[in-house]
């Protein structure tokens, strides 16, 4: 594992953008896995800036997203579909056939198709992920099998509580579709972005703790090419 320490969340996102940009400009037809969440927002802004100002070309990049809420329509601003179109897909020259987004009406058959699409793209070269405060990666909640594949999952109570800010009094999705931990581990390189105090326990578990299903992010320690970019707030110095 390689740990890159950056001064704050903004610098974490910028470093991630630098690595993604370097990957897509050196490998033709590369497949990348991209996350949602607050942490990578600055990464997308920087990638769009590089597209506009430095002609970073997305036309042959194959994009796979990690997860999606079940039952939230595509055009709802809280869907990951909307997130990806607002943050990146609608702002860069991504080719429509190269975009692979999970459906909010996903079924086990569409999950298997998603895995087949990844294989058909030659496997994911670089998978960028964030981590939930409960240690989830994508929506692999605590207890997820470390060899899990793309599937429908129930969201953990701790995740639902964290979503209250976003959903307020409105009904929250209780399920999601997510790529599995096994799917993530098959990516040739994994880039994990961790910023903020609330991620400290999850990151500490990844670095020092046992590899166990109750902290899904800990599974990444078994990956042979993992880079973690973190800010000091997320790193446990005790
Ligand atoms: C979300 C997503 C994850 C994301 C995580 C962290 O629920 N399912 O893929 O990495 O939570 O989000 P944030 O960056 O907002 O803390």
């Amino acid at each position: 594992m390689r740990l890159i320490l950056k001064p704050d969340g903004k610098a974490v996102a910028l470093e991630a953008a630098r690595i993604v940009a370097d990957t897509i400009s050196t490998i033709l037809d590369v497949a990348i896995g991209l996350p949602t969440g607050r942490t990578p927002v600055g990464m997308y802004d920087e990638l769009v800036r590089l597209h506009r100002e430095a002609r970073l070309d997305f036309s042959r990049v194959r994009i796979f997203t990690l997860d999606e809420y079940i039952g939230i329509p595509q055009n709802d601003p809280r869907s990951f579909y909307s997130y990806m179109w607002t943050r990146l897909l609608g702002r860069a020259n991504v080719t429509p056939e190269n975009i692979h987004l999970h459906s909010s009406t996903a079924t086990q058959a569409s999950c298997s198709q998603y895995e087949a699409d990844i294989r058909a793209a030659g496997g994911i070269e670089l998978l960028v992920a964030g981590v939930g405060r409960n240690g989830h990666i994508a929506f692999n909640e605590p207890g997820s099998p470390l060899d899990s594949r793309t599937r429908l999952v129930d969201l953990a109570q701790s995740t639902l509580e964290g979503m209250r800010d976003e959903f307020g009094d409105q009904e929250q999705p209780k399920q999601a579709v997510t790529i599995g931990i096994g799917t993530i581990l098959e990516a040739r390189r994994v880039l994990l972005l961790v910023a903020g105090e609330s991620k400290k326990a999850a990151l500490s578990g990844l670095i020092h703790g046992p590899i166990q299903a109750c902290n899904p992010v800990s599974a990444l320690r078994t990956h042979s090419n993992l880079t973690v970019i973190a800010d000091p707030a997320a790193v446990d110095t005790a």
Side-chain angles (χ1 to χ4, degrees):
M1 180 195 319
R2 201 159 69 105
L3 177 64
I4 301 175
L5 206 54
K6 289 286 166 182
D8 53 29
K10 190 170 177 220
V12 167
L14 282 180
E15 178 67 6
R18 194 191 61 71
I19 293 171
V20 172
D22 185 55
T23 302
I24 70 181
S25 53
T26 50
I27 307 177
L28 208 56
D29 299 319
V30 71
I32 56 174
L34 292 177
T36 55
R38 285 174 293 268
T39 315
V41 165
M43 175 184 81
Y44 292 120
D45 287 343
E46 176 64 4
L47 287 172
V48 170
R49 188 191 71 75
L50 290 170
H51 166 65
R52 291 181 179 158
E53 296 176 16
R55 298 194 182 174
L56 181 63
D57 182 17
F58 285 82
S59 64
R60 294 183 67 167
V61 181
R62 296 143 195 239
I63 291 175
F64 290 85
T65 52
L66 308 188
D67 47 13
E68 177 62 281
Y69 295 128
I70 292 295
I72 299 293
Q74 280 183 352
N75 60 359
D76 186 306
R78 294 164 304 194
S79 74
F80 293 175
Y81 178 99
S82 290
Y83 177 104
M84 288 307 297
W85 275 96
T86 310
R87 302 279 172 207
L88 178 69
L89 305 176
R91 300 160 81 199
N93 66 330
V94 185
T95 304
E97 305 85 80
N98 290 343
I99 298 172
H100 301 268
L101 295 167
H102 294 279
S103 165
S104 62
T105 58
T107 59
Q108 200 43 57
S110 66
C111 291
S112 303
Q113 185 58 50
Y114 205 78
E115 294 268 343
D117 290 345
I118 292 174
R119 284 194 298 276
I124 293 176
E125 169 67 28
L126 177 69
L127 185 140
V128 186
V131 59
R133 56 184 71 187
N134 67 358
H136 72 211
I137 35 172
F139 268 136
N140 292 282
E141 299 284 23
S144 297
L146 302 184
D147 60 355
S148 50
R149 313 300 310 188
T150 302
R151 68 203 186 289
L152 300 175
V153 293
D154 292 331
L155 295 174
Q157 196 53 40
S158 46
T159 297
L160 293 172
E161 278 157 24
M163 286 158 54
R164 292 244 164 82
D165 291 352
E166 206 182 356
F167 284 86
D169 292 340
Q170 288 173 291
E171 204 185 330
Q172 295 182 336
K174 306 264 183 322
Q175 278 201 312
V177 52
T178 183
I179 61 168
I181 298 177
T183 322
I184 293 170
L185 292 176
E186 276 173 13
R188 289 189 278 284
R189 286 187 284 149
V190 177
L191 187 59
L192 183 73
L193 315 185
V194 195
E197 170 102 35
S198 66
K199 309 293 173 67
K200 204 179 248 184
L203 180 59
S204 169
L206 164 63
I207 297 174
H208 309 290
I211 295 164
Q212 54 187 3
C214 67
N215 185 27
V217 73
S218 66
L220 296 184
R221 216 166 73 223
T222 64
H223 196 281
S224 59
N225 195 332
L226 168 67
T227 300
V228 180
I229 314 176
D231 71 354
V235 178
D236 194 351
T237 47

